Amino acid sequence: MIERLGLRALHAFEPERAHGLALAALRAGLAPKPGPITSPRLATSVAGIDLPNPLGLAAGFDKNAVAINPLLRTGLGFVEVGAATPRPQPGNPKPRLFRLTGDRAVINRFGFNNEGVEAIAARLAARREQGVLGLNLGANKDSADRAADFADVLQKSGELVDFVTVNVSSPNTEKLRDLQGAEALSRLLSGVMEARDGLAKPPKVFLKIAPDLDTSELAELCSVAEAAGIDAIVATNTTLGREGLTDPQANEAGGLSGAPLFEGSTAVLREVRGLTGGRIPLIGVGGIGSGAQAYAKVRAGASAVQLYSALVYEGLGLVPRILTELETLLERDGFATVTDAVGVDA
């Protein structure tokens, strides 16, 4: 009830202001602290990274890594911060974040606003809480070589995290999605993997893809990712689609996330599972707001899942509810572990 009242109060503010207040509340300790949530059935691993449970926080909530410690105490299996770019940048003009309450969705056009990798890396180095932590890699809007930006951020921060995610799928930086083409992506990933291999403590490297790719584009992307030795594919980022929305703000420019993304992102996840044949672990993202939806992603091929937009409407108390429901569903269907259920519907 307290969390519900807090959410109602936050929703009285403009969305980006509310987002900042939510981060401040986390830092002040005003958030649920269930601690590590795990069980023999929920414990799993992705790309060799052991997780207490398969539910993670997607990038974008804590762009500047200011709330790492409290987030790692919320029961999540892993947390991803960022995106970080080599140099600080303000992002796109405000307003740039919109709640589509009737659709249980969010549209954002932030444009990689962040304080830059130097400030973010300092916070990563200072974290006290144990747990699996990742960093989303981005590129500066005005960079002469955006592909090189990803390697630059990795070199400066990679030893401080368990994984990094190459984000070439945000729709809010002009022409960034062009880097998903085979030739450009191959060059980018080659530079990233070379930078990773030069680190004393190399992180795993994930690739985050858009939900708006057709079958031939997905096949090409999966082939490049596999050839590059990518450790996991994150499917998917936000969509440019607007089908079925009813909220008056539905035509705002930017990437759509939340409930309307669930079906499309899950279909892409299932297709990527088929294209990769289970050779590359997958992380399912897009529209998760319940244990049943997390379970559907697992059955479609995800070894782990991430959420973000549902927290806008449900708060962090949603985390233990999803995990409780997920464990119940796994037990109901006779799966001893999450891993046993991965891809059974793919």
Side-chain angles (χ1 to χ4, degrees):
M1 184 177 294
I2 292 172
E3 187 173 42
R4 289 285 181 187
L5 291 172
L7 285 170
R8 188 177 301 173
L10 284 176
H11 282 208
F13 292 90
E14 180 273 330
E16 190 164 351
R17 174 64 174 154
H19 185 191
L21 290 171
L23 285 169
L26 270 169
R27 294 196 301 272
L30 303 177
K33 304 181 188 68
I37 297 176
T38 191
S39 71
R41 188 171 272 111
L42 290 175
T44 189
S45 66
V46 176
I49 302 172
D50 291 330
L51 304 175
N53 68 67
L55 181 63
L57 178 66
F61 180 77
D62 188 5
K63 293 176 180 294
N64 291 305
V66 298
I68 297 171
N69 294 308
L71 284 170
L72 287 169
R73 292 193 293 267
T74 59
L76 290 159
F78 60 109
V79 170
E80 183 176 347
V81 298
T85 57
R87 290 172 285 106
Q89 64 180 18
N92 294 322
K94 298 178 182 180
R96 54 195 180 181
L97 181 63
F98 307 89
R99 294 187 207 100
L100 281 62
T101 303
D103 297 309
R104 306 288 283 183
V106 173
I107 291 174
N108 91 82
R109 51 173 181 260
F110 279 118
F112 284 163
N113 58 309
N114 73 106
E115 296 175 10
V117 68
E118 301 288 353
I120 291 170
R123 295 183 187 121
L124 296 174
R127 72 156 166 152
R128 302 179 305 278
E129 199 72 24
Q130 295 299 308
V132 176
L133 183 64
L135 176 66
N136 196 275
L137 310 181
N140 283 116
K141 182 177 181 178
D142 60 354
S143 175
D145 187 350
R146 287 181 179 169
D149 281 8
F150 292 91
D152 185 19
V153 175
L154 173 56
Q155 285 176 325
K156 293 173 179 173
S157 60
E159 293 186 2
L160 303 170
V161 292
D162 299 289
F163 68 91
V164 297
T165 302
V166 177
N167 185 355
V168 292
S169 51
S170 169
N172 300 317
T173 297
E174 187 179 359
K175 296 185 178 180
L176 182 73
R177 286 191 172 189
D178 292 350
L179 293 174
Q180 291 180 120
E183 184 176 346
L185 183 62
S186 181
R187 184 174 76 87
L188 185 155
L189 294 180
S190 176
V192 166
M193 300 306 277
E194 183 178 355
R196 189 275 296 269
D197 293 343
L199 296 177
K201 184 186 173 186
K204 302 295 183 178
V205 176
F206 300 168
L207 175 66
K208 192 167 190 176
I209 66 173
D212 307 318
L213 301 171
D214 62 29
T215 297
S216 63
E217 290 170 327
L218 281 173
E220 187 175 69
L221 186 149
C222 289
S223 177
V224 171
E226 193 166 2
I230 286 296
D231 295 298
I233 293 174
V234 183
T236 67
N237 211 320
T238 57
T239 181
L240 292 171
R242 295 292 188 269
E243 296 80 7
L245 300 181
T246 60
D247 194 280
Q249 299 183 102
N251 291 323
E252 290 288 348
L256 173 74
S257 59
L261 185 56
F262 177 75
E263 294 295 339
S265 63
T266 305
V268 170
L269 172 71
R270 186 177 292 108
E271 190 165 7
V272 171
R273 170 73 176 195
L275 288 166
T276 57
R279 295 181 298 276
I280 301 177
L282 308 181
I283 297 172
V285 194
I288 293 173
S290 69
Q293 289 176 317
Y295 186 44
K297 297 276 191 191
V298 170
R299 292 180 66 103
S303 295
V305 298
Q306 291 177 304
L307 82 169
Y308 174 6
S309 296
L311 300 178
V312 173
Y313 299 103
E314 298 292 334
L316 283 163
L318 181 62
V319 171
R321 294 201 299 273
I322 286 178
L323 290 169
T324 298
E325 185 177 352
L326 174 60
E327 180 151 29
T328 298
L329 291 168
L330 289 165
E331 183 178 13
R332 180 198 70 185
D333 293 344
F335 295 114
T337 67
V338 173
T339 303
D340 294 339
V342 173
V344 296
D345 291 340

